[in-house]
Every structure is written in structure tokens, then in C-alpha cells.
Amino acid sequence: MKVLDAKTIKNNKGIVVNVVAAFGIKGLGMIVNMLSMPLYIDYFGNNMILGLWFTILTVVNWILSFDVGIGNGLRNHLTRALSQKDYEEGKRLTSSAFVSLGAITIVFTIIVYAIMPIVNWNNLFNISTDVVLHSVLARCIGITMIGIMTSFFLHIVRSILFALQLSSIVNLLHLLTSILLVAYLFVAPDYSSVERKLNALSIAYAILINIPSILTLLSVFFFSEMRYCRPRIKYVTKSGVKAIIGLGISFFAVQAMFMIITVTNEWFISKFFSPEYCVDYQIYFRLFALVGSLIMLAMSPLWSAVTKAYSQKHYQWIVKLQKVLNYLALACIAVECVFVILLQPIIDIWLDDRTIEVNYLTASFFLLYGVVMIWVAIQSIVVAGLGTLKVQLRFYLFAAIFKIFTIVVVSQFTDDWSIVVLATALGLLPYCIYQPFVVKKQLKMLELENV
């Protein structure tokens, strides 16, 4: 069955190019990602401190999800405007999005730095002052936060790239950022104290994560179709803000729930167990996330493509796409299962003398987590493209509550940090079971409307 039909979707070539480019970029990204782990281990020489650093990055990166859904709202509305060559609407959307996000960034920065002095960071990250002084930890977080708040505002360029059907460039931004950080680890001075290592890495991180986004933002507004949609204050409108935030609020609620479910694992492990276990978590996670990352990369151009197809009433294309994605998910799940068998030799080769002994119970939890995340990604691509998020939001809320409750209770009876991974996977299972039926019903309704 031919899904990519040039007669129904004119930009099929662009979709294929984005998918192929995404796989190529991800292949390089995997190499960089694998290189970074041993470099991080050597840089700190202490798994407790390395685990702390991973947890800090996890926590401060939560901020990137608090754009009130402006990024995703812009992505969907701008995709429609560009598909219709409505550049006046594009100007209103981008101008309203930049001003709205800029205002949120300023307010959020003031709030964050106002509460920072009163937070007990050592308690929050479950790290003793004998290991890292409070003043050192607070300074590290403060510096890192500057980079994150800048990135928070610049993140809007990713939504614009998706609207332009240039998802491969978004993947390239991730790759360039990773390369810059790995390059720093290669040339970083061998500081003797933990304080100087954390301080230097925080400064490097705050600067390097923003360089690719700044250069891309300038390029987009000078050398792409977006040069006709450059933001201006006079184009900021109440209707533009309402359009972006109206749909964006739903995306934001979903983002917030998904953040609690998936990107809090390091913090829960640090808080309820120990920061040093975050290193083991990262080793398992980076390997089991490979297959899921590949499938999500393949789908990254499809969200905007689904939105575009929906706006042009090409419903049959969406139905065919969903079927292909389901088969793709099953293939990836099979690969994940085979991957468990080869886990120990892969880790031995990867980390060499820094290797760990595989705990196959932990590996089975990560396998379940990987399978669940693949299925969630498959179902969510059509849901997000259509902008129908109610079922997703309700089940994500359940998963978040289930995860928190399970970890808080079960951690009282075990020292096994892998329950964090198991709780995450089990919480999402009801969504994985129910959402496919809802998507199928929605697509049938769209087919009937098009008859």
C-alpha cells in the first residue's frame, strides 16, 4: 500500500528527505552520545558528582516545557498559514508568539532567581554538603539556569522549523549542541576540585547549548520563506496571541504531564535513592532509548505533515500513514527485545574498563519502558497533528499520579532504583491500550466526512 502519494500530499519529497536526513543525523548523534558518557565519567571521576550533574540538567530542563504551549500552538497554526501562503497571518503568529514567549521568559526568570536563595539545593538533590557545598551547588545551578532561560526563548525556532517542514534541521541542532559539549569535554582542563569542575562545565553548558539556535534563528528569518513573516511589534494582535495560546494551553497541559512522567526519572532516583544511581540509569537509558529515538526521528516531520493534510482534508493519507506507523512500531519493539540479549557485551565494548554488570531485572524494566514509549510516540503523532488532546491529557494525568504515588510508597520498602522506570512504564500502559481505539474512531469519522 502506497502511503506517500504525490497526488494527495504535494510535499511528500520533503517528508522523505527529512526522514532520511533525520536517520543520518541521528546516526552521528548516537556516536556523539556514546562518546560523551565515558568522557563525563573521566571528567568527574566520581559517580556521585556525575549523577548530580545529570540530575541538575534534568531539573533545569523542565523549564523548557513551561512555554504555556506557545511553541506547539505556533507550530500547528503557522503550518496552516504557510501551506496557504498567508504571510500576513504568518507575521501575526510569529510576532505574537515572540512577544508572548518573551514576556513569559522575563516573568519566569524573575520568579526563578527570586526563589533560588531560599531553596535548600542539597536537600532537593539529596547530596551532602560534605560532597558539594551549598554555595557551590547554588552557583552551578544559577549559571546553568542562565543558559536554560536563554534556550527557553530561543526554542521557538524549533517550532518554526517544524512548520517549514524542516524537522531535519531541528535534529541537526541537537547534534551540533552535543558535538560542542563533547568537544569541550575533550579539551576541558583537568581541575583538581569538584567545585571548579562544576563551575567550568556550567559556564560551558550555558553558552554552548544556545549557539546553534541563535545562528539558526538568524538564518531562518533571512534565507527562508520566513523572511516574509519576520516578527514586528505592530503585528502583535490579541487574536494572534489567543490563537496560539488557545491551542497551546492544551499542548502545554499535555507537555507538563508528559514531563512529570518521563523527564523526572533522574530527580526521583536522586531524591529517593542516591545521585550515583543516575549514572547507571543513564547507561541503560541511552542504550534502550536508541530504537525509540530512531522511530521518533522518523516521525518528527509527520506531525506537521498530518496537520497540513488535515487542513487540506487529505484524510485518507492520514489513515494510511497510521497503519504504516503501527507496523513500524511492532518492528521496533521486536528489535528492542533482541537488544536485551546483547546488552552486556555492548556495554563492555562501549565503556571498556568503566563497564557495569547488567542487572537483567532492571534491563527488563527498561525494555518495557522502551516498548511503551515507542507505542506512545506512534499514537501521539496523529493526535498532536490533529490537535485532539483530551484523551491524551486524561491518561497522562493518571500516569503522573500513579508514578509519583508508586515511587513514594514502594521506595520505603526497597533500595532498587529501577522501580522508577517500572512505575513510569506501568503508568502509561492504560493510555497505550485505549488511545489506538480513539484514534481509529477519529480517522473513521474523518473518512466519512470526506465521502
Side-chain angles (χ1 to χ4, degrees), residues 200-220:
L201 188 54
S202 299
I203 294 172
Y205 180 83
I207 295 171
L208 297 177
I209 63 170
N210 290 302
I211 291 175
S213 293
I214 292 171
L215 296 177
T216 303
L217 189 64
L218 293 173
S219 299
V220 161

Side-chain angles (χ1 to χ4, degrees), residues 14-27:
I15 294 174
V16 174
V17 168
N18 273 307
V19 171
V20 172
F23 275 103
I25 292 169
K26 186 59 181 178

Side-chain angles (χ1 to χ4, degrees), residues 8-9 11 79 83 302-318 321 385-386:
T8 56
I9 294 293
N11 67 333
T79 297
S83 70
L302 298 179
W303 173 344
S304 296
V306 169
T307 300
K308 186 174 181 179
Y310 179 60
S311 68
Q312 297 174 343
K313 298 186 178 182
H314 293 131
Y315 303 138
Q316 187 60 36
W317 183 86
I318 302 175
L321 174 67
L386 298 178

Side-chain angles (χ1 to χ4, degrees), residues 20 31 96 136 140 158 220 272 287 356 374 381 424 444 450:
V20 172
I31 296 173
S96 300
V136 173
C140 169
R158 297 168 191 249
V220 161
F272 290 92
L287 291 173
I356 62 170
I374 288 171
I381 197 70
T424 304
K444 278 188 176 180
N450 204 32

Side-chain angles (χ1 to χ4, degrees), residues 305-368:
V306 169
T307 300
K308 186 174 181 179
Y310 179 60
S311 68
Q312 297 174 343
K313 298 186 178 182
H314 293 131
Y315 303 138
Q316 187 60 36
W317 183 86
I318 302 175
V319 173
K320 293 177 181 178
L321 174 67
Q322 180 67 16
K323 291 178 182 178
V324 170
L325 290 178
N326 287 339
Y327 287 122
L328 179 60
L330 292 175
C332 289
I333 289 170
V335 173
E336 286 267 85
C337 294
V338 174
F339 188 67
V340 176
I341 302 172
L342 304 174
L343 194 57
Q344 186 66 67
I346 290 173
I347 293 178
D348 290 343
I349 295 171
W350 173 30
L351 297 179
D352 196 22
D353 58 345
R354 314 170 195 85
T355 191
I356 62 170
E357 183 177 349
V358 171
N359 180 316
Y360 283 95
L361 178 61
T362 299
S364 67
F365 292 165
F366 272 93
L367 172 61
L368 177 61

Side-chain angles (χ1 to χ4, degrees), residues 264-265 268-269 273 403 407 416-425:
T264 55
N265 289 344
F268 278 113
I269 292 170
F273 300 96
K403 174 177 180 173
I407 294 171
D416 187 356
W417 60 268
S418 63
I419 65 162
V420 173
V421 179
L422 180 62
T424 304

